[in-house]
Amino acid sequence: MQAAPDPLQERAEKLEREYARREAAARAMGGPERLARRAAAGVLSARARLDRLVDPGTFIESGLFATSAVPGDRDKSPCDGKISGFGKIGGREAAIVSNDFTVMGASSGATNGRKIAHMRRVAAQRGIPLVFLGESSGARMPDHMGSRGMGSLLGNDGLQYQRLRETPWASATLGYSYGSSSWYSVLSDFNVMRKGAVLAVSSSLLASLAIREEVDPQELGGWQLHAEVTGFADMVVDTDEEAMEAIRRFLSYLPSHHNEAPPVAGVPPGSGARMGEILRHLPASRTQVYDVRKIVRDVVDEGSFFELKPRFGRVAVTGLARLDGRTVGIIANNPLHKGAAMDTEACEKMTSFIVLCDSFNIPIVLLVDTPGFVIGTEAERRRAPGKIMNMMNALALTTVPKLSILLRKSYGQAYLNMGGGRNSDEFAAWPTAEVSFMDARFAARIVTGLDETDPRFAEAVAAMDRDSEVWDIASIYAVQSVIRPQETRDYLIRMLDVHRLRLTGGVGAHMMRAWPTSF
């Protein structure tokens, strides 16, 4: 005799079938054809990017069954084009939004706007980083059209683009990124850009219509523009996989939130092994160029230097690194470019990096070798005085430890901008260092009116060059230490320990928490 059907089991099976059907539809993204085209082009899907970014098995999705708020679009808008949730990155929790371009171009709509707002709110309230994987066609049309669309979509969240540095933000520009996708990229502390991607206010088509001439997408917002001209790309990579690894590595240097110190890592074998020969990187002549990054790599923990904006403002080098396992921010003048005379791009780059470090309790190490600032008509047109003072103000507002090492030369106002004159907690110098208001040859010409053909010129230069050696500034305690070059790593490690923020548990005052990420 056949047993009677179990109503409870039937109900459970029916619910399971319905759940499985809806789950499959939500996870299908834009369908197999669109996903296959991306795979053939070597581009990961939104879900594959998540798999690469987070620790295996840790992602929990938020909003899997979300769809467009427009009834007619519900069946063609799985997750409303943006996949969101929480996952662990290097063992630490993070909130993530991965744009799915295969669904309505990942365009901005009412539902996915709520998803982003929720990720932002949880990240801020629970002290976890926020990651945006950007690729979007911009605002969804016709949803945004008309006054009702503007009022209900663009006008419904007054905090949508507010950025206080409570937790780190990281982003990746991985395709055509217009509208909100570009906004979140430039609001982030770190943005990695894949070659071939485009970051712009709006599409090249709309730009072409606006200015009535053809606009090339790469000229509008390609990686070279943002790596070399705007500075919006902190790093450029060839693949999506490399972009995910870059975000993982960036976050490994930072705390999860602004009220804790950065994590401590193990010290790799070989760290400091080349310090005995570090002077080989510094030419004997003060006018000969060299790449300061070679000195940086010798000083910091082996393999730990993570450079930011390497193609932008190249007279300055900025990057995260570790010393004895502890995160530090490196700012260095690089004579390889323009003799290390600081231009407006370098000032912007250093200012932005100073704010990042101060916001997330990262001590700053400055390696100094600069003849001053780029001067002239073009510099003034590029607002040099304002950029110089922005950097000076940021350095003055910094409350994390600041250590400066004067390698070779420091002239004029740049002496202050690079940590001199009590603008760092400890100012040390190599015996090769010299400090003055300007190059003695320029000073001699200005003061005496003589040129190099005059037999009296050499005597005038010697007079202007008097008392510029490191021993002179050390004698009045305007530098706290003169150190042998090979002692630099040990000196920095020791002084970072001395200046650790013990009274506040390694946490600074964050006086620049609302400083804009782009200015």
Side-chain angles (χ1 to χ4, degrees):
M1 184 176 178
Q2 188 175 4
D6 184 343
L8 184 59
Q9 183 177 351
E10 286 185 342
R11 182 185 178 200
E13 290 174 352
K14 181 179 179 181
L15 289 173
E16 179 60 30
R17 287 193 299 271
E18 178 66 7
Y19 189 97
R21 182 187 71 80
R22 290 181 177 273
E23 182 181 27
R27 295 187 183 279
M29 297 180 277
E33 291 184 5
R34 290 178 181 173
L35 293 174
R37 285 198 296 268
R38 291 174 70 88
V43 178
L44 296 179
S45 71
R47 292 191 179 277
R49 288 168 179 166
L50 281 167
D51 290 341
R52 287 276 183 170
L53 178 64
V54 304
D55 300 347
T58 65
F59 184 69
I60 180 167
E61 190 160 346
S62 177
L64 174 64
F65 299 111
T67 62
S68 170
V70 177
D73 290 337
R74 287 177 183 172
D75 291 338
K76 62 178 182 180
S77 56
C79 300
D80 204 27
K82 298 186 192 293
I83 301 166
S84 59
F86 309 98
K88 292 186 178 181
I89 300 175
R92 296 186 298 166
E93 206 69 68
I96 308 155
V97 177
S98 183
N99 283 9
D100 182 3
F101 202 80
T102 68
V103 175
M104 304 183 79
S107 53
S108 299
T111 300
N112 61 42
R114 293 190 187 96
K115 294 172 78 170
I116 292 173
H118 184 68
M119 292 300 110
R120 289 191 56 193
R121 183 166 54 250
V122 173
Q125 291 177 347
R126 304 304 178 219
I128 58 177
L130 183 59
V131 178
F132 297 97
L133 305 182
E135 188 180 12
S136 170
S137 57
R140 186 175 298 167
M141 302 298 173
D143 301 28
H144 281 75
M145 292 301 292
S147 59
R148 184 181 294 273
M150 293 293 285
S152 61
L153 291 177
L154 279 186
N156 71 343
D157 183 1
L159 302 178
Q160 184 177 5
Y161 300 117
Q162 182 188 85
R163 177 74 216 278
L164 298 177
R165 289 178 177 84
E166 296 151 316
T167 69
W169 284 19
S171 64
T173 302
L174 301 170
Y176 291 119
S177 296
Y178 306 126
S180 67
S181 184
S182 59
W183 309 151
Y184 289 121
S185 291
V186 300
L187 279 169
S188 294
D189 302 297
F190 175 73
N191 180 44
V192 56
M193 192 167 184
R194 195 198 71 218
K195 290 181 180 178
V198 175
L199 188 161
V201 172
S202 60
S203 70
S204 56
L205 173 59
L206 186 57
S208 298
L209 293 172
I211 66 174
R212 299 182 181 180
E213 64 181 58
E214 199 70 26
V215 175
D216 178 79
Q218 288 299 314
E219 291 184 7
L220 179 70
W223 69 268
Q224 285 186 294
L225 173 75
H226 293 309
E228 299 171 5
V229 180
T230 69
F232 290 157
D234 293 290
M235 182 174 290
V236 175
V237 296
D238 293 313
T239 66
D240 285 3
E241 291 88 345
E242 291 174 305
M244 299 306 101
E245 180 55 35
I247 290 176
R248 287 181 63 90
R249 191 173 176 200
F250 172 76
L251 292 175
S252 74
Y253 292 91
L254 274 69
S256 292
H257 55 81
H258 68 311
N259 283 328
E260 69 178 15
V264 179
V267 181
S271 297
R274 298 181 298 277
M275 286 305 300
E277 303 172 358
I278 196 168
L279 197 56
R280 73 191 186 280
H281 299 308
L282 191 72
S285 170
R286 66 181 174 183
T287 60
Q288 191 173 346
V289 305
Y290 65 97
D291 190 346
V292 76
R293 290 173 295 188
K294 295 179 180 179
I295 292 177
V296 172
R297 292 188 180 101
D298 280 1
V299 169
V300 302
D301 290 0
E302 189 69 19
S304 72
F305 183 52
F306 186 75
E307 188 174 0
L308 302 177
K309 303 187 192 299
R311 296 170 179 263
F312 178 73
R314 294 194 290 176
V315 300
V317 170
T318 57
L320 299 166
R322 293 187 180 92
L323 277 167
D324 200 32
R326 298 183 181 276
T327 300
V328 294
I330 302 291
I331 298 175
N333 307 120
N334 197 2
L336 191 63
H337 302 283
K338 299 183 182 179
M342 294 189 287
D343 54 20
T344 54
E345 289 84 358
C347 289
E348 286 184 13
K349 174 177 173 175
M350 291 187 284
T351 301
S352 176
F353 187 70
I354 289 168
V355 176
L356 168 68
C357 291
D358 188 68
S359 297
F360 295 110
N361 313 311
I362 299 171
I364 298 172
V365 172
L366 299 101
L367 301 179
V368 186
D369 184 358
T370 178
F373 295 101
V374 171
I375 58 175
T377 304
E378 182 61 23
E380 301 300 331
R381 288 177 175 174
R382 297 179 73 85
R383 300 180 294 160
K387 301 297 183 181
I388 292 167
M389 283 299 100
N390 274 351
M391 181 185 172
M392 191 71 259
N393 192 34
L395 196 65
L397 291 171
T398 298
T399 56
V400 296
K402 295 171 289 185
L403 307 180
S404 295
I405 307 288
L406 177 54
L407 307 180
R408 192 167 63 168
K409 61 182 178 292
S410 185
Y411 296 156
Q413 170 67 36
Y415 165 72
L416 299 180
N417 279 61
M418 290 301 297
R422 302 306 304 172
N423 286 299
S424 53
D425 297 298
E426 296 287 338
F427 193 49
W430 286 4
T432 51
E434 60 179 73
V435 180
S436 191
F437 188 72
M438 68 174 65
D439 185 287
R441 302 178 72 84
F442 293 160
R445 292 194 65 170
I446 291 171
V447 172
T448 67
L450 302 173
D451 61 31
E452 296 182 8
T453 62
D454 194 297
R456 298 168 293 172
F457 186 70
E459 183 180 349
V461 171
M464 291 297 172
D465 206 25
R466 189 179 299 123
D467 299 333
S468 63
E469 290 188 337
V470 67
W471 313 111
D472 300 301
I473 195 169
S475 70
I476 59 171
Y477 198 56
V479 297
Q480 284 72 59
S481 302
V482 179
I483 61 174
R484 298 178 181 87
Q486 63 269 27
E487 298 171 343
T488 304
R489 175 179 165 85
D490 290 341
Y491 171 84
L492 289 171
I493 290 172
R494 185 72 183 90
M495 281 301 164
L496 285 169
D497 198 37
V498 168
H499 286 281
R500 195 175 299 172
L501 301 177
R502 293 173 180 81
L503 297 178
T504 57
V507 177
H510 308 135
M511 297 173 70
M512 294 175 284
R513 62 196 297 261
W515 194 295
T517 49
S518 304
F519 52 90

